[in-house]
């Protein structure tokens, strides 16, 4: 029997989640659901200097907004906890020590000053950032070079030290990436990465391998920026748990912005969101806008993310989360970078707003109006949503497209018809306002309109724009008699009568 699929999203809580981060969540989620597996959220907070308050709560909130709830997490618990690496601190040292005792890692006592001195000493034009590697380790203060007794004394004396991996020379390490196929590395190009830091915390490299093992992770999906770390992880797997036990990896393609790799700065520069939800950085006070706050529906956001680097081989672009679960295949994820296009993102949202039933949109639109101090009645709001949703790309568009249903316009674009306004037209509107007091639906408003126009000898087409502007304020909105129906006779009459005196 094959092992139960278990995947994990393993963010470091250092700030908001950008498109790439949420896409990693999504692909994990889809893979887990498709294979009846578990989706784990693990918080990788071992770098205490990068800890940002609020970032973990932001992750829960964002995943929940997207509808991508993990099965196990620090908040939810589960059989493989704790799920926050800082709470697992004690667990990692033994693995590091084991590697030291087996000659695969070593203690390094170099102070920050000594490391700086090494970099300054070895820096050349062709080697601007010298690494602690096989060329250098022999010149440094570590357990490979110091006499054993001195090492013991340093350790017993509590001298700050790290544990470094001793990268073997001249080996080629290969693994099969689910997207890229066979990928090989020459160990000579990799430095002696720190595994355990002076504060006793593991680095990402050690923690990710130990935790993927202990949490029985079967597949690990992460951004392609982690590919260069793969040789370190392969060796750790080989030495600690056996390479056969290694999860299957997939390194997801970069997301590209208008000028190379999509960055947070692109958002500010080009005026589109790059984060899922708005993030307020407590340290810098900087605010980065999110898709949620811009008025995207999570259904649309998830859909557009899925298509950033994947499609099912057909022309289909609109997928619900359930459909994605049915169709998603990691092997179909593209190797090359995925181009993000905000116009296209808006297209997805527009499509999702159009295809969403009014009841789905109602809470969001209601909250939007409430935020503007406008109370709305659900029945009327649902009707209004269906009337205007085709004209809305993002949720705030409902305020501009439908505000007049709830608040009578205070200004009218009368200039749009002023040149063709006549005393006969005024008489028509006075007559029409007198006649419609019992009209209740679009059809009756319309047939009375035609009757009155005929009586006045004016083409109805010439009168529709003035009516629209009287009811709406401007040249926009759904069919004008549908508007009158929603407003009701009393309000329609009042709006007509309010404008007439302002017209010459
Ligand atoms: N903590 C890493 C990050 O912040 C996780 C990488 C991985 O999934 O292995 O991206």
């Amino acid at each position: 029997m094959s092992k139960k699929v278990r995947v994990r999203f393993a963010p470091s809580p250092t700030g908001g989640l950008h498109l790439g981060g949420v896409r990693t969540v999504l692909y994990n989620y889809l893979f887990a659901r498709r294979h009846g597996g578990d989706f784990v959220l693990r918080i990788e907070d071992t770098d205490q200097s990068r800890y940002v308050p609020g970032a973990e709560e932001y992750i829960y909130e964002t995943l929940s907004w997207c509808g991508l709830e993990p099965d196990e997490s620090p908040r939810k618990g589960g059989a493989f906890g704790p799920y926050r690496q800082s709470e697992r601190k004690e667990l990692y040292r033994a693995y590091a020590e084991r590697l030291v005792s087996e000659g695969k890692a070593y203690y390094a006592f170099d102070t920050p000053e000594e490391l700086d001195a090494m970099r300054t000493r070895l820096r050349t034009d062709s080697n601007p950032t010298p690494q602690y590697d096989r060329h250098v380790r022999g010149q440094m203060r570590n357990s490979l070079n110091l006499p054993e007794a001195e090492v013991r004394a340093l350790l017993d004396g509590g001298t700050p030290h790290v544990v470094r991996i001793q990268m073997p020379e001249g080996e080629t390490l290969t693994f099969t990436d689910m997207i890229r196929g066979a990928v090989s590395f020459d160990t000579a190009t990799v430095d002696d990465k720190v595994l355990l830091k002076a504060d006793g915390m593991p680095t990402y490299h050690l923690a990710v391998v130990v935790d993927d093992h202990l949490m029985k992770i079967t597949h690990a999906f992460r951004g392609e920026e982690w590919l260069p770390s793969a040789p370190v992880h392969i060796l750790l797997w080989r030495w600690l748990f056996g390479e056969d036990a290694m999860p299957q990896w997939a390194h997801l393609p970069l997301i590209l912005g208008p000028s190379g790799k999509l960055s947070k700065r692109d958002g500010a520069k080009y005026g589109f969101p790059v984060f899922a939800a708005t993030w307020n950085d407590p340290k810098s006070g900087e605010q980065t806008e999110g898709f949620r706050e811009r008025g995207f529906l999570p259904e649309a956001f998830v859909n557009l993310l899925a298509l950033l680097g994947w499609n099912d081989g057909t022309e289909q672009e609109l997928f619900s989360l359930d459909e994605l679960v049915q169709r998603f295949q990691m092997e179909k994820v593209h190797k090359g970078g995925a181009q993000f296009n905000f116009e296209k993102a808006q297209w997805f949202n527009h499509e999702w707003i159009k295809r969403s039933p009014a009841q789905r949109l109602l809470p969001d639109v209601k909250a939007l109006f409430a935020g503007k101090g406008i109370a709305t009645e659900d029945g009327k709001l649902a009707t209004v949503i269906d009337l205007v949703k085709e004209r809305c790309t993002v949720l705030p568009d409902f305020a501009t497209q439908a505000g007049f249903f709830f608040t009578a316009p205070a200004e009218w674009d009368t200039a749009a018809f002023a040149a063709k306004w006549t005393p006969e037209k005024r008489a028509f509107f006075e007559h029409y306002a007198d006649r419609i007091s019992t009209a209740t639906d679009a059809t009756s408003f319309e047939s009375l309109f035609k009757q009155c126009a005929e009586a006045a000898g004016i083409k109805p087409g010439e009168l529709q724009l003035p009516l629209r502007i009287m009811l709406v304020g401007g040249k926009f909105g759904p069919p004008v008699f549908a508007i009158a129906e929603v407003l009701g006779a009393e309000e329609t009459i009042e709006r007509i009568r309010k404008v007439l005196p302002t017209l010459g």
Side-chain angles (χ1 to χ4, degrees):
M1 209 186 88
S2 62
K3 276 191 282 179
K4 180 170 195 195
V5 164
R6 286 178 56 79
V7 300
R8 85 295 188 285
F9 175 55
S12 299
T14 54
L17 281 180
H18 54 76
L19 286 171
V22 195
R23 188 190 57 182
T24 305
V25 178
L26 176 62
Y27 286 4
N28 269 288
Y29 177 92
L30 296 177
F31 189 85
R33 290 290 161 275
R34 187 179 162 91
H35 297 280
D38 299 325
F39 169 43
V40 176
L41 171 67
R42 181 173 72 223
I43 297 291
E44 303 211 324
D45 58 348
T46 57
D47 190 348
Q48 308 264 285
S49 65
R50 294 182 67 215
Y51 173 79
V52 179
E56 191 179 320
E57 286 65 33
Y58 172 98
I59 292 167
Y60 298 127
E61 204 186 301
T62 304
L63 267 51
S64 155
W65 177 65
C66 294
L68 306 173
E69 297 284 0
D71 301 304
E72 299 164 29
S73 73
R75 195 172 261 185
K76 208 168 173 191
F80 298 87
Y83 292 91
R84 216 175 266 123
Q85 286 184 328
S86 58
E87 292 168 19
R88 304 168 67 81
K89 180 178 173 187
E90 298 316 318
L91 221 115
Y92 305 105
R93 175 169 286 277
Y95 293 99
E97 299 285 356
R98 191 178 125 196
L99 294 173
V100 174
S101 67
E102 292 173 1
K104 290 160 179 148
Y106 57 90
Y107 301 115
F109 301 95
D110 317 277
T111 62
E113 293 74 27
E114 287 167 337
L115 291 171
D116 276 348
M118 175 273 280
R119 289 185 201 111
T120 313
R121 184 160 41 88
L122 300 178
R123 187 173 297 138
T124 59
D125 284 347
S126 59
N127 185 15
T129 48
Q131 305 284 315
Y132 202 122
D133 60 13
R134 66 191 205 286
H135 302 295
V136 172
R137 67 167 86 102
Q139 312 163 27
M140 304 301 288
R141 287 211 311 134
N142 57 47
S143 57
L144 300 175
N145 307 321
L146 299 171
E148 217 180 303
E150 191 178 338
V151 170
R152 197 45 31 233
L154 287 169
L155 291 176
D156 291 347
T159 310
H161 63 277
V162 301
V163 173
R164 287 182 181 272
I165 189 169
Q166 184 172 351
M167 281 308 279
E169 258 174 67
E171 265 199 62
T172 301
L173 300 174
T174 303
F175 79 95
T176 306
D177 187 278
M178 291 171 76
I179 300 169
R180 283 149 218 275
V183 187
S184 296
F185 304 86
D186 177 356
T187 52
T189 61
V190 187
D191 59 323
D192 288 357
K193 297 268 185 247
V194 173
L195 300 179
L196 200 70
K197 293 180 283 187
D199 64 2
M201 280 286 192
T203 56
Y204 163 64
H205 305 297
L206 179 62
V208 74
V209 170
V210 167
D211 285 345
D212 281 354
H213 165 73
L214 293 177
M215 296 183 178
K216 296 199 177 350
I217 299 303
T218 57
H219 298 76
F221 312 137
R222 56 187 183 187
E224 75 172 27
E225 66 274 19
W226 294 109
L227 206 46
S229 306
V232 178
H233 302 174
I234 295 171
L235 285 176
L236 292 176
W237 273 101
R238 180 186 291 175
W239 294 336
L240 292 172
F241 313 115
E243 225 170 306
D244 289 349
M246 210 169 90
Q248 266 187 277
W249 283 336
H251 290 84
L252 310 178
L254 284 181
I255 297 181
L256 304 172
S259 46
K261 185 181 175 211
L262 182 72
S263 74
K264 200 172 85 174
R265 258 156 281 127
D266 284 344
K269 190 166 163 196
Y270 300 104
F272 54 67
V274 286
F275 278 9
T278 293
W279 166 248
N280 293 301
D281 191 303
K283 287 185 179 161
S284 65
E286 187 192 0
Q287 184 178 78
T288 311
E289 194 197 12
F291 279 84
R292 180 176 67 176
E293 287 71 13
R294 183 60 80 93
F296 275 70
L297 299 180
E299 296 92 325
F301 184 58
V302 158
N303 189 165
L304 74 92
L305 277 181
L307 277 276
L308 269 177
W310 170 88
N311 65 57
D312 71 347
T314 72
E315 294 295 303
Q316 185 174 345
E317 292 186 289
L318 294 172
F319 294 93
S320 67
L321 190 56
D322 285 344
E323 284 172 300
L324 288 170
V325 168
Q326 301 309 316
R327 307 279 187 86
F328 183 76
Q329 280 174 284
M330 192 57 79
E331 289 74 11
K332 289 233 168 89
V333 172
H334 314 150
K335 290 194 211 31
Q339 187 65 48
F340 172 71
N341 174 335
F342 188 55
E343 300 275 306
K344 186 74 192 192
Q346 289 178 299
W347 175 84
F348 276 106
N349 207 48
H350 182 51
E351 291 300 317
W352 271 97
I353 286 183
K354 277 199 305 198
R355 54 158 48 194
S356 295
Q359 289 307 323
R360 156 65 189 91
L361 300 169
L362 196 125
D364 291 318
V365 180
K366 197 172 182 69
L368 179 77
F369 278 112
K372 295 184 181 298
I374 300 168
T376 49
E377 185 270 312
D378 285 359
K380 177 175 171 184
L381 186 57
T383 309
V384 164
I385 288 173
D386 275 335
L387 276 178
V388 305
K389 64 185 184 186
E390 266 186 44
R391 296 157 205 274
C392 298
T393 300
V394 286
L395 286 168
D397 291 345
F398 279 96
T400 30
Q401 289 296 330
F404 65 84
F405 281 107
F406 302 97
T407 318
E411 296 175 351
W412 302 270
D413 180 13
T414 49
F417 62 82
K420 291 187 176 172
W421 187 246
T422 59
E424 291 73 24
K425 287 186 180 171
R426 171 192 297 282
F428 161 84
F429 277 101
E430 278 163 1
H431 183 211
Y432 184 56
D434 288 340
R435 290 283 309 276
I436 55 176
S437 58
T438 54
T440 50
D441 58 15
T443 317
S444 51
F445 279 107
E446 183 168 8
S447 61
L448 286 167
F449 194 80
K450 283 185 179 151
Q451 284 171 29
C452 294
E454 198 174 328
I458 309 172
K459 284 196 207 103
E462 279 186 39
L463 296 160
Q464 284 213 18
L465 180 66
L467 177 62
R468 170 177 297 284
I469 288 174
M470 288 173 196
L471 301 187
V472 173
K475 280 189 275 185
F476 64 95
V480 71
F481 299 111
I483 295 175
E485 174 178 329
V486 176
L487 292 176
E490 198 182 324
E491 178 70 17
T492 302
I493 295 166
E494 199 174 306
R495 289 192 186 187
I496 295 171
R497 290 196 175 139
K498 199 164 172 196
V499 184
L500 289 179
T502 70
L503 298 165

